[in-house]
Amino acid sequence: MKTALLYFSGTGNTKRVGEVFKDYLLEKKHNEVDMIDISTHRQSLSNYDLLIAGTPTYTMTSSRNMNDFIQMYVNKTNNPKAQFITYVTHGWGHSYGHLTLQEFITKLGFRVIGAQSFLAPSNFYVYNEKVQPKQNEVEIRRLYEKITIDVKGLMDACLNGYIRIEKKSTFKKQQAKLISALSRKAFINQFSAKTLSVDGDKCTRCLVCVKKCPNKNIALIDGNIRFSKNCSACSRCMHICPQNAYAYRGKTFEQYNMNQQSISEQLK
Ligand SMILES: Cc1cc2nc3c(=O)[nH]c(=O)nc-3n(C[C@H](O)[C@H](O)[C@H](O)COP(=O)(O)O)c2cc1C
Ligand code: SF4
Ligand code: SF4
């Protein structure tokens, strides 16, 4: 079984959950598993049997760039046997993203055999600590232990021929889609330009944030970091800066990045 693990990940959670799927498949001797970061991959996919597609949750739905990627690079002619599993990571409460992604993929004519949301560490504390305060390492570890158990449950079912879709209220899913579309128009595109700033004394002009922004929304102009209006609010830039030079609405913050956490190593 040839599997593609398609993921977008701003701060590392969704990628890490993708690795949990991969570990499961390798343990079951399904050795052909390709991890594909959709923010950098620019080639059509062929001959996959299973595609597992995961994004973070933004305003209760999945990240739009996954829809664009699948539409552009995955078609039935090149992947005649392909079936999908969709997942999202989210920081609190409910997410409908696994279902909005399922809906989109089903409309393209693919069969979706699994869909699930996973509660992961939240990176939203920078914007609103009341919604979900920053979790400590013990809490993060517990969340990932639960995710590992849930991935196993989902995959055991799907690989044994069952369809396993985590159901949610259809009305709330539609509501989430509407709120997400409105917020994208009203705010998200301009998120970094309106709320982020960089401390020129801390910034070493290393260009890490410029190169890592998935939307090419950041530039160094006359020695200063500047943002355009093509942001997706993925939060990667502010958490990846080696100098922690970013501020949100003028306030500095403690960074979160699953890719850089020691806990990420311990979990492997
Ligand atoms: C702009 C933004 C909006 C978010 N909206 C939600 C949300 O509506 N519901 C939720 O549970 N988590 C929300 N989150 C939290 C993220 O979905 C969560 O931390 C996710 O695991 C991040 O994945 P990543 O590390 O792969 O980027 C939001 C995060 C950001 C940055
Ligand atoms: S500028 Fe926007 S899209 Fe680019 S990394 Fe920062 S938050 Fe993400
Ligand atoms: S990553 Fe940080 S230090 Fe590097 S250019 Fe961006 S703001 Fe400056």
Side-chain angles (χ1 to χ4, degrees), residues 20-217:
V20 175
F21 276 100
K22 183 175 178 179
D23 290 348
Y24 172 95
L25 286 162
L26 294 181
E27 211 180 291
K28 297 282 174 190
K29 308 282 179 239
H30 295 292
N31 292 331
E32 266 192 286
V33 187
D34 298 326
M35 293 283 292
I36 296 175
D37 178 352
I38 65 155
S39 64
T40 51
H41 191 94
R42 294 288 168 265
Q43 271 179 335
S44 289
L45 307 186
S46 308
N47 298 323
Y48 283 101
D49 304 299
L50 178 64
L51 292 108
I52 302 175
T55 82
T57 297
Y58 300 134
T59 6
M60 294 174 286
T61 60
S62 55
S63 175
R64 283 277 312 185
N65 56 357
M66 183 59 81
N67 299 20
D68 299 340
F69 181 90
I70 292 171
Q71 190 141 36
M72 186 163 287
Y73 296 116
V74 189
N75 64 56
K76 276 196 85 79
T77 314
N78 292 348
N79 302 275
K81 290 189 272 171
Q83 306 193 100
F84 271 85
I85 292 174
T86 63
Y87 75 92
V88 282
T89 60
H90 68 111
W92 67 88
H94 294 281
S95 170
Y96 304 89
H98 58 301
L99 299 175
T100 53
L101 195 52
Q102 177 211 8
E103 191 178 291
F104 176 79
I105 290 168
T106 306
K107 278 188 189 153
L108 295 178
F110 290 103
R111 188 160 180 252
V112 179
I113 56 171
Q116 190 153 336
S117 61
F118 298 103
L119 186 64
S122 178
N123 56 19
F124 202 77
Y125 62 90
V126 178
Y127 314 128
N128 190 339
E129 260 219 296
K130 283 185 195 142
V131 172
Q132 173 60 64
K134 188 174 192 309
Q135 284 114 333
N136 62 35
E137 289 219 346
V138 175
E139 290 165 322
I140 293 172
R141 176 186 283 276
R142 279 207 195 109
L143 286 166
Y144 273 100
E145 281 166 0
K146 166 98 172 55
I147 287 170
T148 306
I149 293 166
D150 290 347
V151 166
K152 183 178 181 311
L154 172 65
M155 291 302 285
D156 280 349
C158 292
L159 294 190
N160 281 305
Y162 295 98
I163 292 185
R164 174 106 169 242
I165 309 290
E166 184 197 359
K167 294 261 190 289
K168 295 272 166 92
S169 146
T170 307
F171 172 73
K172 287 194 175 161
K173 181 183 79 175
Q174 296 304 352
Q175 204 177 31
K177 276 169 67 179
L178 186 67
I179 294 170
S180 172
L182 291 175
S183 75
R184 222 182 357 263
K185 264 196 178 162
F187 177 66
I188 299 291
N189 293 347
Q190 305 168 48
F191 167 79
S192 48
K194 285 204 164 164
T195 66
L196 300 184
S197 56
V198 167
D199 182 335
D201 293 334
K202 284 190 193 168
C203 174
T204 56
R205 281 80 186 166
C206 68
L207 299 183
V208 166
C209 60
V210 175
K211 288 181 190 153
K212 293 285 182 182
C213 171
N215 295 0
K216 301 198 187 326
N217 190 53

